[in-house]
Amino acid sequence: MRLGLALGYWGRGPDPRHLELAREAERLGYDSVWTAEAWGSDAFTALTWIAAHTSRIKLGTGIAQMAARTPTATAMHALTLDHLSGGRLLLGLGLSGPQVVEGWYGRPFPKSPLTATREYVEVIRQVLRRQGPVEVDGLFHPHPYRGADGTGLGKPLKPITHPLRADLPLLLGAEGPKNIAQTTRIADGWLPLYWSPLRTGVYQASLAKAPDGFLIAPMARAVVCDDVAEGLLPVKAMLGFYIGGMGHAAKNFHADLMARMGFEEEARRVQQLFLEGRKEEAVLAVPDAFADEISLVGPRERIAERLELWRTGPVTDLLVTAPDPRTLRVLAELNA
């Protein structure tokens, strides 16, 4: 199991620790470093900055949101950064949810998310393979565009720039069972939002036909500390925000996922409290047991024991959100 460093997206501004952590991760032998985006900082610019200050570590978008760019624009970002970094990019993509797609990007959330994702990936694959002009007879991402409101002058094109790698790895963030199953068919890997090494059966059917070499790269908060309960608070805060705030009361993919993992009553309670504006109560209502299962928190000895659970499962890459160099070093030593 390889280790990666997940830096996420910025809060109010750039985090001055991110570059230091990325360089330390490279020095310690981490395989990859990942950036993200929501409705603030973007994934590619921060990753390019890290690329310029590193030389070996792979560079992942975890995740870049599909609604933020047309698939050809995403392919242009990918092939450009892959060239500049010497072939280090891992392209992680996600559809996000209706609240973000429609509220932030001002676009309709696709009525058939699986079809939209499949077309998006197909366009990117055609760009990177550069075997001919991009042509997709799609419902959501037709190339060229031939809609009634167009000019009819669209011409199939292939990229001027020759991509460095036609097989640049593409991973998808997916949560629903059908979405995960499709990911095993059209992508090179999967970026789970929550992964519990104690509940791998939740995904067993969806991953049943995953091909050899398929990447499974979940993210997990990691921190070496003496007080487990205190160390879990940032995990619970994240869960409270995602389960309660990253969705609508009637449509929240994150709450649905927590429910499928055996915490349905607790998920609905967290969601209700958050939507009522009782955010602190929502965070406290997140079960310690769930937060603990999807993270690596506590003294070195405890993390060593729990890391073995992750190593014995199907995870190929563990992407840790670690707040300090010490935690990065301990994980590297334990995973050696």
Side-chain angles (χ1 to χ4, degrees):
M1 184 179 72
R2 295 176 292 264
L3 292 178
L5 168 65
L7 296 173
Y9 43 78
W10 297 348
R12 295 182 63 180
D15 190 325
R17 302 171 301 169
H18 279 184
L19 183 56
E20 173 193 354
L21 288 171
R23 297 176 74 169
E24 179 67 3
E26 180 173 67
R27 188 187 71 78
L28 290 168
Y30 278 59
D31 187 71
S32 58
V33 58
W34 300 73
T35 57
E37 60 190 14
W39 48 91
S41 60
D42 78 279
F44 287 101
T45 305
L47 202 59
T48 302
W49 182 253
I50 293 170
H53 291 84
T54 56
S55 59
R56 177 200 58 79
I57 198 166
K58 294 173 187 172
L59 308 156
T61 56
I63 59 172
Q65 296 186 334
M66 296 183 201
R69 307 162 190 87
T70 65
T72 45
T74 296
M76 290 167 65
H77 275 295
L79 71 85
T80 301
L81 182 48
D82 204 43
H83 267 292
L84 291 175
S85 65
R88 290 191 278 152
L89 184 66
L90 299 165
L91 181 58
L93 301 172
L95 193 58
S96 192
Q99 293 71 32
V100 175
V101 173
E102 297 183 1
W104 180 247
Y105 294 112
R107 303 181 61 185
F109 188 77
K111 289 183 171 59
S112 177
L114 270 67
T115 301
T117 299
R118 189 166 59 249
E119 291 178 9
Y120 200 102
V121 169
E122 175 58 25
V123 172
I124 292 175
R125 296 289 201 195
Q126 288 194 29
V127 172
L128 295 177
R129 289 168 184 155
R130 202 177 179 272
Q131 295 175 340
V134 176
E135 294 190 80
V136 174
D137 184 18
L139 179 63
F140 298 98
H141 301 291
H143 283 67
Y145 182 75
R146 295 192 175 94
D149 57 343
T151 65
L153 301 177
K155 177 183 177 181
L157 299 169
K158 67 179 179 180
I160 298 170
T161 304
H162 291 236
L164 183 64
R165 293 183 294 165
D167 58 350
L168 188 156
L170 190 153
L171 299 87
L172 294 176
E175 295 181 38
K178 293 181 179 178
N179 201 352
I180 297 169
Q182 175 176 265
T183 297
T184 66
R185 298 191 298 270
I186 67 173
D188 302 297
W190 172 43
L191 295 164
L193 179 61
Y194 312 137
W195 179 276
S196 168
L198 302 176
R199 301 173 190 268
T200 57
V202 172
Y203 304 115
Q204 187 173 2
S206 299
L207 295 172
K209 296 183 179 180
D212 292 342
F214 186 77
L215 305 176
I216 299 177
M219 298 184 187
R221 169 83 173 183
V223 59
V224 178
C225 62
D226 294 327
D227 190 328
V228 175
E230 182 179 348
L232 287 175
L233 282 176
V235 184
K236 295 177 65 168
M238 176 273 292
L239 288 168
F241 176 64
Y242 272 76
I243 293 163
M246 293 282 273
H248 187 270
K251 198 174 187 68
N252 185 310
F253 301 139
H254 311 301
D256 293 345
L257 174 58
M258 182 176 171
R260 287 196 300 275
M261 295 180 74
F263 295 88
E264 181 170 7
E265 182 178 342
E266 295 88 340
R268 303 311 171 196
R269 177 62 176 159
V270 171
Q271 189 179 26
Q272 178 184 356
L273 289 169
F274 198 97
L275 293 175
E276 291 175 354
R278 299 155 66 182
K279 298 181 181 179
E280 292 185 6
E281 292 179 63
V283 170
L284 294 177
V286 174
D288 283 4
F290 181 60
D292 198 23
E293 284 184 24
I294 65 171
S295 59
L296 287 160
V297 173
R300 178 188 176 111
E301 297 75 17
R302 185 176 194 268
I303 289 179
E305 293 176 0
R306 300 177 74 84
L307 188 63
E308 284 304 309
L309 296 174
W310 293 78
R311 288 159 61 101
T312 56
V315 171
T316 61
D317 298 78
L318 175 59
L319 314 182
V320 297
T321 58
D324 61 90
R326 178 192 174 204
T327 296
L328 289 179
R329 184 178 65 255
V330 168
L331 286 170
E333 292 170 355
L334 293 175
N335 196 57

